Amino acid sequence: MVSTEALAYGATSPRNRYDYAVVRQFTVMSLVFGLLGMVVGVYLAGELIWPDLGFDLPWLTFGRLRPVHTTLMVFGFCGNLLFAASYYVAQRTCQTRLVGGMFPASVFWGWQIILVLGLVSESLGETQARKYAEFEWPIALFLVLVWLVSLWVYVATLRRRKATPLYVANWFFLACFVGMALSYVLENLLLPVDWFGMKSYSPFSGVQSAMIQWWYGHNVITFLMNMAFLGMMYYFLPKQAGRPLYSYRLSVLHFWSLVFLSVWAAPNHLNWTALPDWTVTLGVTFSVMLLLPSLAGVVNGLMTLSGGWVQVRTDPVLRFMAVALVFYGWATLEGVNMSLQTFNALTHYTDWTIGHAHLATLGWVSMMSFGVVYHLVPRLWDTKLYSVRLVEIHFWIALFAIVLHTAALEVGGILQGVRLRALDEYGNLAYSFMETDAFLTVPYGLRGVGGLLFLSGVLIMVYNLAVTIVRAQRKRAAIDARIAAKLAVKGLRAREGAP
Amino acid sequence: MSDFLSLWIGVCVLGSLFVCHVLIEWVLHRPDERHEAHKVQYSHQSWGDVRSYDHPVPRSWLYLLYACTLFALIYFSLYPALGTFPGVLRWTSQQQYKDEVGEYNLVYTERFNRYLARSITEIASDPVARTTGQHLFMSYCSNCHQGAGEDRTHYPKLTDRDWLWGGHPEQIEATILHGRTGIMPAWGSVLGEKGVEETASYVMTLAGYKPANPEEVAAGKEHFAAYCAFCHSAGGRGDPRQGAPRLTDKTWMHISSKDALSEAGLEAGVRAAIADGFVNLMPPHWNTLDRAQIHVLAGYVYSLSN
């Protein structure tokens, strides 16, 4: 029997040509975890202003909630979106369906189970206490397994393509998959205390442990938060603009310079520590050289839009992506500065670092994600966005929120750094620790407002997308019903022997 | 670090720079660019639904590339980066630390040591010295004593004239220099519950409360003379030689100011003090601060109550 779907959309409909079921699921879960993560983030911002918000409940304290926030954002929001975008882009650019039968779905369910297990155990205090690698060994092991399956699905899909060279976006996704796998495994070489308990310890100790930890931490930023999102930029930005990418060869240079330079840069997170001097100077040099990929990406993206700036003014979805790219350039410039020892001595251990991290994650990662999701959802559900006006509103709220959030923390962080180092005329520290800290309530307040605004923007987006999806499904159900009715009538007539 | 490891690091670092350059040169000089230099062209590939131009790489990017590479090579030759090669400047972070401490001492030590020639009372009346003292206090003492003058249970108030160990400038300086250990033995097992209650009633009368039960107080007075007076002195006047506090005033160190507000709260606190005793440590500072700093601190603390 002819499937109703084929009749409704025709054999060439993207619905049939591509396998979107799992892409849709990943997209939705990315939004769910992203929203949750931002709610937790705003709550944490509140705790910094009113410490009593912890209510003496262990799982509500700052120490437990903070890793919950980063896990939700890094693995929940970014991770799910990586899967959604890479599986979508691989199919579209290779003109093939997703490979693997039940495997894509198992990646989806595996990933969500990992997240739930991880978040619950973190809330209960079961954690390695290593940044971005809080999951204890059973969950970490499970994660590696699911990650390898997801890599296999991705590579097998790419191998089905007919055209020879791989579109550059796929290179970036591939680097993300492989790079994350390598780094995660090295960071999580763990010795379980016993086979039936959660607790485990890393074989590294002391400064080596710190180095491994930050090499991994830096790689999460490079591979998951840069590479994956650059991959999205390289596909979705030209797509949304309806213009060809500016320069293929520049994107190749972008890719290779980023891969070669970035894996060396990690020691810049450990300036002025017990790390041997040579590692630090190496890290500094390669961090400075990271200007190269950063400039390449920004130029390539923005030049793609040159001649089409009107579109950026009229299409808020494209504007999300373009502005994200500007934030990418800005954040990497800051990063280069922060790796320099002298500047680092001022900003390290202050809230500047948190400001910088959020400039990158709100400005670059989130803005790019919003653009991508606004582009994806209508295509995945074969419909139009419910309201472009709401997208426009979301854009301006988000932009304002980012500027407020960043300015508050970075200005506050610099003041904090200045106070931490200030000497009186007899060479004593001019401020007590409390005095370097207490005044931060004001920047923390502004940052809280910024976070709240950003969150409300996301709420608007989720509402907009939810209505879009529900309407699309209703429409589709109506069409399906009409076709089913027609088929039934036809069948009835055939049985009755009518012509 | 072994020579092999050092060599390995050097080769890896320079090698990856080199390979990066080879790749870049290769991309830059792909045949089509050489023939149709600067001509904007569609790359003939279209990937399903995206297309790409193949514009030549912007000059600015190339200049940045060469500048960065030059920077890296210069930096690697000046500073330690390639394994054990120490760099031409022979810079180390340890040496930089030592140099900075040396510079600091050159600027400040002599200036600071001038305070040693002045008496503590003089320092206490000099506003500049007081500010210096306050900065020191906020860095080294406020973690326990908080901002001077703030009330905190188990720590003595430094703004009043009620001293454990004496309030003469020399006594204060000795306190800071050598530290103090206030020990009050636990009397619970000696006096028994009833004895503790009786003694507490007596202590309450010392603090100015009317006795509810004169017989109890009389018994308490005897206990006090027998067990307490050789530290707290007869009548609870206190003894700075042992750090035993005066019990006749309304300042309490070990009873929170909230408890001390009500008679019942205070009495419960006094009973607990008698039954359980204390060991309270003011750490010595001769090994962490230098003499001039301690001198200025003594002046600052003295100024708080004088």
Side-chain angles (χ1 to χ4, degrees), chain A residues 207-208 211-212 215 263-287 339 341, chain B residues 1-14 16 72 75-88 90-96:
Chain A
V207 76
Q208 277 148 0
M211 185 65 246
I212 297 282
W215 178 75
V263 289
W264 291 98
N268 70 18
H269 296 266
L270 291 165
N271 270 339
W272 305 117
T273 61
L275 218 59
D277 290 336
W278 64 270
T279 19
V280 174
T281 28
L282 261 187
V284 171
T285 320
F286 280 102
S287 304
S339 74
Q341 307 243 52
Chain B
M1 194 190 306
S2 72
D3 287 346
F4 171 75
L5 196 60
S6 170
L7 199 69
W8 170 249
I9 291 164
V11 168
C12 275
V13 171
L14 295 176
S16 74
Y75 211 73
F76 288 163
S77 48
L78 292 183
Y79 291 97
L82 306 173
T84 45
F85 174 62
V88 177
R90 308 216 151 239
W91 173 88
T92 65
S93 53
Q94 283 184 21
Q95 191 54 45
Q96 180 174 345

Side-chain angles (χ1 to χ4, degrees), chain A residues 249-449:
Chain A
R249 77 185 69 211
L250 188 56
S251 64
V252 175
L253 294 186
H254 181 189
F255 178 82
W256 284 113
S257 52
L258 189 52
V259 168
F260 264 98
L261 301 173
S262 201
V263 289
W264 291 98
N268 70 18
H269 296 266
L270 291 165
N271 270 339
W272 305 117
T273 61
L275 218 59
D277 290 336
W278 64 270
T279 19
V280 174
T281 28
L282 261 187
V284 171
T285 320
F286 280 102
S287 304
V288 171
M289 292 190 78
L290 279 175
L291 281 173
L292 286 167
S294 149
L295 184 72
V298 174
V299 167
N300 216 351
L302 293 186
M303 288 303 280
T304 300
L305 300 175
S306 89
W309 287 109
V310 191
Q311 265 172 294
V312 178
R313 212 166 343 118
T314 52
D315 177 4
V317 178
L318 186 60
R319 205 181 314 130
F320 264 114
M321 301 183 189
V323 167
L325 205 57
V326 175
F327 278 119
Y328 169 67
W330 180 4
T332 42
L333 261 182
E334 271 190 15
V336 169
N337 256 307
M338 286 162 66
S339 74
L340 300 178
Q341 307 243 52
T342 23
F343 189 74
N344 194 275
L346 176 64
T347 61
H348 209 171
Y349 309 123
T350 72
D351 275 279
W352 166 283
T353 310
I354 294 99
H356 166 74
H358 283 88
L359 173 67
T361 48
L362 302 184
W364 156 240
V365 174
S366 300
M367 292 296 258
M368 183 52 76
S369 314
F370 300 157
V372 168
V373 174
Y374 279 129
H375 177 97
L376 265 181
V377 166
R379 281 160 185 82
L380 293 176
W381 273 270
D382 207 7
T383 181
K384 276 207 178 90
L385 269 182
Y386 163 61
S387 162
V388 177
R389 234 192 109 63
L390 284 182
V391 181
E392 187 78 37
I393 293 173
H394 178 195
F395 175 82
W396 289 112
I397 291 181
L399 188 64
F400 179 70
I402 294 168
V403 173
L404 186 65
H405 194 292
T406 310
L409 283 187
E410 291 193 347
V411 172
I414 292 283
L415 289 178
Q416 191 187 4
V418 168
R419 287 188 171 206
L420 279 169
R421 290 154 51 112
L423 298 182
D424 67 12
E425 58 182 306
Y426 286 92
N428 308 303
L429 290 176
Y431 296 93
S432 69
F433 180 75
M434 277 312 287
E435 286 170 313
T436 66
D437 206 56
F439 80 100
L440 283 173
T441 319
V442 176
Y444 283 163
L446 291 175
R447 153 316 178 106
V449 174

